[in-house]
């Protein structure tokens, strides 16, 4: 079963997660560095993994994923992250380009799940990565909406057109006021 085959069906999502050949990664994304927690349905392999938000950092993560996939006999990887801010886009595109399954986890669910975990309610990037991993194990995630580049470009052009149209109306009104002052008759 492929990742996108289950859609919003909770039963199929749970079946997909319970596969023994699936490695799951919870990634807490931030501006400069990302924290990750990786494991399988049976347990955590590495709870504290940190990599930079650069190409070299992404290559480091890919190398660690390949090494652990071979070592634990996993065929596929599912990476979950919070869609907070804009910092997740680069990691999402890189992992998607490498053929890994990438999903998103609700930010509020991560916060609530972290509060139920041991070692207090304090927020750290390591705890958030583990919380995301835990939500992946429970099957509480969703797939991001895929928008094609042409639609994004059309939307951007439409916004620009509407801004220019608004500005044209403002300039027309200013010109009318100036003409009235210049030619009082």
């Amino acid at each position: 079963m492929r990742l996108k085959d289950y859609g919003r069906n909770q039963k199929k999502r749970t079946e997909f997660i319970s596969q023994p050949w699936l490695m799951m990664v919870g990634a807490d994304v931030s501006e400069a560095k990302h924290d990750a927690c990786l494991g399988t349905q049976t347990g955590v392999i590495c709870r504290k993994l940190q990599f930079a938000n650069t190409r070299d950092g992404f290559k480091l993560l890919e190398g660690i994923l390949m090494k652990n996939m071979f070592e634990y006999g996993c065929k596929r990887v599912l990476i979950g992250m919070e869609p907070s801010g804009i910092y997740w886009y680069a990691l999402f595109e890189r992992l998607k380009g490498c053929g890994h399954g990438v999903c998103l986890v609700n930010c509020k669910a991560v916060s609530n799940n972290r509060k139920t975990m041991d070692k207090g309610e304090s927020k750290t990037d390591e705890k958030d990565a583990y919380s995301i991993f835990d939500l992946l194990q429970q099957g509480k995630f969703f797939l991001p909406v895929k928008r094609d580049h042409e639609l994004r470009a059309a939307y951007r052009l439409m916004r620009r057109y509407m801004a220019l149209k608004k500005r044209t109306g403002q300039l027309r009104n200013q010109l009318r006021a100036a003409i009235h002052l210049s030619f009082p008759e």
Side-chain angles (χ1 to χ4, degrees):
M1 179 188 322
R2 294 179 318 190
L3 179 62
K4 60 185 174 183
D5 286 340
Y6 59 77
R8 295 192 177 272
N9 189 334
Q10 178 68 33
K11 184 178 177 188
K12 288 183 180 179
R13 192 169 38 219
T14 306
E15 288 172 7
F16 180 78
I17 292 300
S18 63
Q19 300 297 325
W21 44 262
L22 181 69
M23 178 181 292
M24 293 177 278
V25 180
D28 183 52
V29 181
S30 61
E31 183 179 3
K33 64 172 181 60
H34 306 313
D35 288 276
C37 174
L38 54 111
T40 61
Q41 190 63 24
T42 57
V44 176
I45 296 170
C46 176
R47 186 162 176 164
K48 191 173 188 178
L49 173 65
Q50 210 172 65
F51 58 99
N53 190 10
T54 61
R55 285 184 183 167
D56 293 335
F58 296 159
K59 287 180 184 177
L60 173 72
L61 175 67
E62 291 168 18
I64 291 171
L65 288 177
M66 292 302 154
K67 177 184 158 240
N68 283 309
M69 281 177 69
F70 179 73
E71 188 176 328
Y72 289 93
C74 297
K75 297 176 187 172
R76 297 208 17 112
V77 177
L78 177 65
I79 298 134
M81 61 184 80
E82 289 179 286
S84 56
I86 61 170
Y87 307 115
W88 67 277
Y89 289 126
L91 181 61
F92 171 78
E93 292 297 329
R94 177 67 184 238
L95 293 170
K96 205 65 169 155
C98 292
H100 298 303
V102 185
C103 63
L104 302 176
V105 179
N106 190 323
C107 300
K108 193 66 177 169
V110 173
S111 174
N112 291 338
N113 193 36
R114 184 182 64 239
K115 290 175 184 175
T116 63
M117 298 166 74
D118 294 341
K119 300 181 184 173
E121 296 181 12
S122 63
K123 181 194 179 330
T124 63
D125 294 339
E126 181 187 340
K127 282 184 183 178
D128 279 353
Y130 181 68
S131 179
I132 293 168
F133 173 76
D134 189 44
L135 288 169
L136 286 178
Q137 281 185 318
Q138 297 173 30
K140 296 181 179 177
F141 56 89
F142 58 94
L143 296 175
V145 176
K146 180 89 169 126
R147 294 189 175 99
D148 57 350
H149 296 291
E150 292 85 16
L151 186 62
R152 264 195 259 176
Y155 182 70
R156 190 171 48 249
L157 288 173
M158 182 56 80
R159 284 191 307 186
R160 182 72 179 140
Y161 168 74
M162 296 304 286
L164 288 172
K165 187 175 177 182
K166 182 179 179 182
R167 182 71 180 136
T168 304
Q170 292 171 345
L171 289 173
R172 186 181 312 119
N173 291 338
Q174 290 175 356
L175 185 60
R176 285 180 185 155
I179 289 175
H180 177 68
L181 294 174
S182 300
F183 304 106
E185 61 219 28

